[in-house]
Amino acid sequence: MVDTVIHGGAVVTPTETVEADVAIDGERIAAVGDPDSMPDADRVVDATGKLVLPGVVDPHVHIDDMFSIDTYETATRAAALGGTTTYIDFAWQAWIGDLSPWDEEGTLLEGIERKREKGAGAVVDYGLHGAITRADEAVLEELEAVVEAGVPSIKLFTAYEIGLENGFMDRVFNRLADLDAFAVLHTEEGTICDERTERFQREGKGDPEWYPRSRPDYAEAIAAEAAARMAMEAGCRYYGIHTSCRKSAEVLARYREQYGEERLRAETCTHYTTLDDSIFEELGHLPMIAPPIRKPDDVEAMFEHLKRGTLDVVSTDHCGYTEESKQVTNWWDSKFGANALQTNLPVFHDEAVNRRGFSYPFLVRVLCRNPARIFGLQDKGTLDPGTDADVVVFDPTETYTITAEENASAADFSIYEGREVTGRVKQTFVRGELVADDGEIVAEEGHGQFLERESTDWDC
């Protein structure tokens, strides 16, 4: 006897789609196989005509900090409704500056504790990246304790007031290599972006169409080139986040070919695979994201490099904001980022599978398996027996129109507003517990757990 059997669906693995049942006992997958081989269950979920997927693993979200008004309660509800069962947020080293919510400097370990306290009401599971915000000698000594706290990935910026100069970044790469940890890079050449922003401000070019021109594709590629080179020279593993353009992807492809996938991995985001810069004319400042949403050819490049393998993961870069904070007079006064946790799987599924003909195993690889393996979540992103019972029942035939009125996020808009998609999340299980059922959250707050991660090999 087991707790649950999901019956009659098509199970999607990273390599195939097969008609099979899934048995769940406690928090784990007990079996996957022929219906006749399944044990009796207290509950049978009818998945006839539907897909049974591993829960989505989103390694790039911003929750309850200066880049998001979402709490862990609102964000994890949105995640569950959208089929995301695990995400990785950021634990910030407090700094003093215009973007900072803090009045005094702090440590990475304090940032980890701060986010763990905020996560007490989470519905889905979560992990953390450390985020270094300033050139601080003390952080180099702190990194060992950060890794031991289950945070083996460290984010570095090359832009904004928290951008690091190459000299200090080089030292961080060497320290991470010593600890067998790895770096997560936001790469835009900050001085180019700053100069263009200042020039556009002087010229009064505040309309949304000027925003993407303030952060050109070559600025992203230049910073990726420098950071990846430093990491490779240091023997440090490198994960490039939110790759947005062909030029940057080509840089990463070159280093990956030279050093191998065990040294370099990268992601793009759903918005870079589904939207181009015409969206600014349509939605104003709402889609203002950094790096910017770019040209149609860059959208094509994202799929080319996903297919080629340069890009391993599709994430959201979720940020929760209100429309009021975005739709201001000049783009430079608008907030950076947009919410996407609830719409990620349906939107990417519709674009990749329905419109472009990619396979369901491809979908599982880039949304589930790859991020889980890269970020040391061995019990996530899979339906293998013995792993966490994070399961999504997905109807690939249901068509609906996205609207912000359905947002569980605190954000009151969607950059996919009015987009018709085919494919909808029907049920989401996190470690065997049904947390979302047909558009409703049915789990109690606090079911989600903080996941301490270990650094794992990338030859997966």
Side-chain angles (χ1 to χ4, degrees):
M1 178 70 72
V2 296
D3 295 323
T4 304
V5 167
I6 301 174
H7 170 70
V11 172
V12 185
T13 76
T15 58
E16 62 181 349
T17 302
V18 295
E19 299 295 326
D21 285 5
V22 177
I24 298 171
D25 197 33
E27 296 190 344
R28 300 280 176 162
I29 302 289
V32 178
D34 186 270
D36 294 337
S37 69
M38 290 296 105
D40 292 334
D42 292 330
R43 170 177 55 183
V44 176
V45 175
D46 184 6
T48 303
K50 300 179 179 65
L51 301 174
V52 182
L53 310 172
V56 172
V57 177
D58 189 340
H60 185 178
V61 305
H62 297 273
I63 309 297
D64 200 350
D65 55 28
M66 55 280 176
F67 298 125
S68 182
I69 64 172
D70 266 315
T71 65
Y72 268 71
E73 289 76 16
T74 60
T76 56
R77 284 171 171 262
L81 292 170
T84 293
T85 55
T86 305
Y87 63 56
I88 307 180
D89 184 21
F90 296 92
W92 297 91
Q93 177 194 37
W95 80 99
I96 299 173
D98 292 338
L99 293 176
S100 171
W102 296 290
D103 296 325
E104 58 183 25
E105 295 178 346
T107 68
L108 282 177
L109 287 172
E110 289 169 349
I112 293 170
E113 182 59 31
R114 189 161 50 238
K115 281 297 176 78
R116 290 194 63 171
E117 291 175 358
K118 290 182 176 184
V123 173
V124 306
D125 291 346
Y126 69 98
L128 294 170
H129 306 290
I132 295 177
T133 61
R134 63 184 189 278
D136 180 2
E137 187 80 22
V139 78
L140 299 173
E141 296 302 318
E142 188 188 13
L143 286 174
E144 182 174 6
V146 170
V147 173
E148 290 175 352
V151 182
S153 49
I154 304 298
K155 187 175 184 181
L156 311 176
F157 290 79
T158 64
Y160 313 121
E161 67 190 31
I162 53 178
L164 301 177
E165 294 184 354
N166 285 350
F168 188 75
M169 195 180 301
D170 186 57
R171 296 183 66 189
V172 175
F173 285 138
N174 278 277
R175 181 61 178 149
L176 293 177
D178 290 341
L179 296 170
D180 193 29
F182 61 96
V184 178
L185 268 293
H186 175 126
T187 52
E188 294 178 285
E189 210 295 314
T191 61
I192 293 174
C193 299
D194 290 346
E195 190 282 331
R196 284 198 163 210
T197 296
E198 291 166 4
R199 174 156 54 92
F200 291 169
Q201 288 174 333
R202 291 194 303 270
E203 296 170 353
K205 294 175 177 176
D207 292 338
E209 67 195 63
W210 289 97
Y211 167 66
R213 305 182 202 184
S214 74
R215 310 184 84 85
D217 57 356
Y218 66 84
E220 181 181 339
I222 287 170
E225 173 81 48
R229 167 56 67 191
M230 284 188 290
M232 295 304 101
E233 294 293 339
C236 177
R237 284 176 296 156
Y238 178 105
Y239 183 88
I241 66 170
H242 52 40
T243 307
S244 74
C245 61
R246 183 178 296 278
K247 289 177 181 177
S248 186
E250 288 174 349
V251 168
L252 298 176
R254 188 169 69 251
Y255 280 108
R256 182 163 171 143
E257 182 176 349
Q258 180 178 356
Y259 290 94
E261 63 184 23
E262 66 274 13
R263 292 282 301 280
L264 188 146
R265 298 287 185 138
E267 70 176 31
T268 186
C269 299
T270 302
H271 44 267
Y272 300 129
T273 65
T274 56
L275 303 172
D276 61 53
D277 59 359
S278 65
I279 197 69
F280 291 100
E281 182 177 355
E282 179 182 346
L283 296 182
H285 301 311
L286 295 182
M288 200 181 90
I289 292 162
I293 294 169
R294 301 200 187 272
K295 299 293 183 182
D297 179 66
D298 294 304
V299 175
E300 297 307 310
M302 295 304 96
F303 278 104
E304 290 171 22
H305 283 278
L306 283 166
K307 185 175 182 179
R308 178 177 171 181
T310 305
L311 303 175
D312 305 273
V313 171
V314 176
S315 74
T316 63
D317 195 4
H318 174 96
C319 299
Y321 289 119
T322 62
E323 183 171 1
E324 182 181 10
S325 70
K326 297 279 287 186
Q327 295 287 46
V328 294
T329 302
N330 297 306
W331 62 259
W332 50 78
D333 293 322
S334 180
K335 298 289 187 180
F336 287 82
N339 69 93
L341 273 168
Q342 193 165 332
T343 55
N344 183 40
L345 174 56
V347 169
F348 186 72
H349 163 266
D350 194 59
E351 180 70 30
V353 177
N354 294 342
R355 302 187 187 190
R356 295 177 178 266
F358 282 82
S359 71
Y360 282 106
F362 164 83
L363 193 77
V364 165
R365 289 195 296 272
V366 300
L367 292 180
C368 311
R369 183 200 67 178
N370 290 356
R373 291 189 176 181
I374 291 168
F375 288 96
L377 297 165
Q378 300 305 311
D379 287 330
K380 304 294 187 180
T382 174
L383 297 176
D384 292 345
T387 61
D388 285 353
D390 294 355
V391 186
V392 174
V393 178
F394 186 79
D395 186 343
T397 65
E398 182 175 342
T399 298
Y400 71 105
T401 300
I402 292 174
T403 172
E405 293 178 0
E406 296 183 354
N407 277 8
S409 165
D412 60 359
F413 70 92
S414 172
I415 59 175
Y416 304 109
E417 184 74 34
R419 187 183 184 103
E420 184 178 89
V421 296
T422 298
R424 189 163 198 164
V425 174
K426 304 306 291 183
Q427 293 173 309
T428 303
F429 295 82
V430 176
R431 284 178 287 103
E433 180 168 334
L434 182 64
V435 297
D437 187 14
D438 202 21
E440 300 291 333
I441 296 296
V442 295
E444 294 183 2
E445 293 179 354
H447 176 69
Q449 295 181 351
F450 172 68
L451 303 172
E452 293 189 12
R453 298 179 292 120
E454 294 184 359
S455 191
T456 55
D457 292 336
W458 281 3
D459 57 351
C460 52

